[in-house]
Amino acid sequence: MKITSDHFGVTPEGQEVQLFSLTNDQGMAVKITNFGGIITAINVPDRNGKLDDVVLGHETLEGYLHRSRYFGALIGRYANRIAHGRFCLRGAAYTLAKNNGENHLHGGLKGFDKVVWSAREIQDSEVASLELTYRSKDGEEGYPGNLETRVTYGLTNGNELRIEYFATTDQNTILNLTNHSYFNLAGGGTVLDHQLAINADNFTPVNKGLIPTGEIRSVKDTPLDFTCRTAIGARINNHDEQLCFAGGYDHNFVLRTETETFRKAATVYEPMTGRVMEVSTTQPGMQFYSGNFLDGSIAGKSGRVYIKHSGCCFETQHFPDSPNQPSFPSTLLKPGEEYRHTTSFKFSVE
Ligand code: BGC
């Protein structure tokens, strides 16, 4: 196991940022920058031992500063949308930036994906870890409370990347952290032939603005039924209102057992390379996003142009717009409590 670091660049505000490489004894390597806590690369073997980079992103800091779609980033304070950028907490009303039409998306104009985190390398014989910390001040992007946030990325010899999220606050606040990696297990092309199984019988349908209606709907007899392994592309163009609203999949799946036990959320299999990725989490939901808004306008690593469905995201999370949806699990964090979640991405071959 080893961790190395290199200079990655300087932000427009003059902050220097690093690129860390975590490598395990199997040759799997993960690169992470403390700018936005972004995972810039994950190199994993295929069934013949050939390594490929299975996430979308950029080679330079510049790319992330100017041409990003949250590639690989830590998302906070609130993953996904909050309707009209408004919520009430214990009688007080809060206003957030509207950075997605009428709505607030992924923490606002300068979310956790665009801040510089403090980094510390932690290495032992079992896990190579990078610990990132960030203090978000009371009122930042409109959210209440000083928030102390800590995220650790740990790579094991079992080809597992474990992400642990911790936070505390000094005022009542809301919180929903995730990671926004776009995966493509073939290392190129689109993800339409990837086969996906999701551990969910229900999802949260959305309106045209991709805000949940509040309903919890069964996936049965819909193209969102991934209870058995199915190719992502098999039904993506079906005439279905939910798929039309989103231009593909962009939905929160209600993971089985809403208790916060660590359990499998999804399995993805790529038939050409044999690569398998298992997603496990303590979170109640997972946004499966099939890269619908990628439109060929961004060229990423090795000059590869990212067209629609070039990558897909498995954003483990609390449900979108929960602060305005009384029937959804609560995202309230109070002083004296510790926010704590774990998500892992484990790679193997079949
Ligand atoms: C959202 C999409 C959004 C994308 C931004 C996803 O998490 O669900 O609607 O466009 O992030 O890259």
Side-chain angles (χ1 to χ4, degrees), residues 142-192:
Y143 291 97
N146 290 300
L147 189 79
E148 302 288 347
T149 318
R150 179 161 57 93
V151 177
T152 60
Y153 284 109
L155 176 64
T156 72
N157 269 331
N159 285 357
E160 181 177 15
L161 176 65
R162 218 171 230 256
I163 314 178
E164 295 184 275
Y165 303 86
F166 306 87
T168 53
T169 180
D170 60 2
Q171 275 181 52
N172 285 338
T173 193
I174 56 166
L175 190 63
N176 187 20
L177 303 175
T178 195
N179 175 276
H180 204 292
S181 289
Y182 288 71
F183 295 93
N184 181 318
L185 299 186
T190 72
V191 295
L192 296 175

Side-chain angles (χ1 to χ4, degrees), residues 69-70 80-81 106 180 182 210 250 287 289 293 315:
R69 290 279 196 284
Y70 303 96
N80 213 284
R81 293 176 177 79
H106 292 333
H180 204 292
Y182 288 71
L210 303 183
D250 191 355
Q287 188 82 9
Y289 170 54
F293 295 111
E315 301 154 65

Side-chain angles (χ1 to χ4, degrees), residues 21-318:
S21 299
L22 281 54
T23 311
N24 71 8
D25 299 339
Q26 322 296 318
M28 177 175 166
V30 179
K31 290 187 179 179
I32 301 160
T33 169
N34 59 325
F35 175 77
I38 294 171
I39 297 173
T40 68
I42 300 183
N43 284 283
V44 280
D46 69 3
R47 60 161 77 90
N48 300 314
K50 180 178 169 282
L51 291 174
D52 272 312
D53 186 355
V54 297
V55 289
L56 310 193
H58 296 286
E59 262 139 22
T60 62
L61 177 63
E62 278 292 294
Y64 291 104
L65 291 172
H66 303 301
R67 294 179 300 280
S68 196
R69 290 279 196 284
Y70 303 96
F71 290 139
L74 290 179
I75 305 293
R77 293 191 188 189
Y78 201 95
N80 213 284
R81 293 176 177 79
I82 296 180
H84 306 291
R86 278 199 308 255
F87 66 96
C88 287
L89 203 55
R90 306 275 158 110
Y94 295 92
T95 307
L96 308 168
K98 293 179 181 170
N99 59 330
N100 187 249
E102 274 302 288
N103 304 315
H104 178 83
L105 176 68
H106 292 333
L109 298 172
K110 189 171 178 181
F112 289 1
D113 59 301
K114 296 182 188 70
V115 302
V116 177
W117 296 65
S118 300
R120 187 165 72 101
E121 300 170 26
I122 308 169
Q123 192 169 343
D124 63 38
S125 55
E126 304 287 314
V127 200
S129 307
L130 181 70
E131 180 191 82
L132 299 175
T133 49
Y134 177 66
R135 178 169 211 265
S136 173
K137 290 205 185 104
D138 179 27
E140 188 173 298
E141 295 294 315
Y143 291 97
N146 290 300
L147 189 79
E148 302 288 347
T149 318
R150 179 161 57 93
V151 177
T152 60
Y153 284 109
L155 176 64
T156 72
N157 269 331
N159 285 357
E160 181 177 15
L161 176 65
R162 218 171 230 256
I163 314 178
E164 295 184 275
Y165 303 86
F166 306 87
T168 53
T169 180
D170 60 2
Q171 275 181 52
N172 285 338
T173 193
I174 56 166
L175 190 63
N176 187 20
L177 303 175
T178 195
N179 175 276
H180 204 292
S181 289
Y182 288 71
F183 295 93
N184 181 318
L185 299 186
T190 72
V191 295
L192 296 175
D193 290 337
H194 286 41
Q195 294 175 17
L196 172 65
I198 304 181
N199 188 22
D201 301 307
N202 297 290
F203 73 107
T204 51
V206 289
N207 66 21
K208 268 193 201 134
L210 303 183
I211 298 292
T213 59
E215 182 191 345
I216 306 276
R217 187 183 293 173
S218 168
V219 296
K220 203 166 180 300
D221 301 323
T222 79
L224 285 89
D225 187 347
F226 284 98
T227 51
C228 296
R229 262 193 201 184
T230 310
I232 291 173
R235 300 160 303 182
I236 201 166
N237 294 317
N238 279 15
H239 192 76
D240 173 273
E241 189 185 52
Q242 286 297 310
L243 294 181
C244 290
F245 284 164
Y249 296 100
D250 191 355
H251 294 86
N252 172 64
F253 286 76
V254 179
L255 298 173
R256 283 187 193 131
T257 66
E258 268 190 29
T259 59
E260 297 188 355
T261 51
F262 186 68
R263 69 231 186 269
K264 200 193 285 184
T267 307
V268 200
Y269 168 66
E270 201 290 302
M272 295 245 295
T273 59
R275 287 193 184 96
V276 177
M277 182 175 78
E278 265 180 25
V279 185
S280 302
T281 190
T282 54
Q283 293 272 17
M286 185 188 76
Q287 188 82 9
F288 167 47
Y289 170 54
S290 55
N292 315 324
F293 295 111
L294 298 174
D295 58 4
S297 62
I298 296 179
K301 289 177 274 187
S302 309
R304 198 177 130 210
V305 174
Y306 295 139
I307 59 168
K308 192 169 183 177
H309 312 315
S310 289
C312 58
C313 305
F314 303 95
E315 301 154 65
T316 55
Q317 61 181 8
H318 265 257

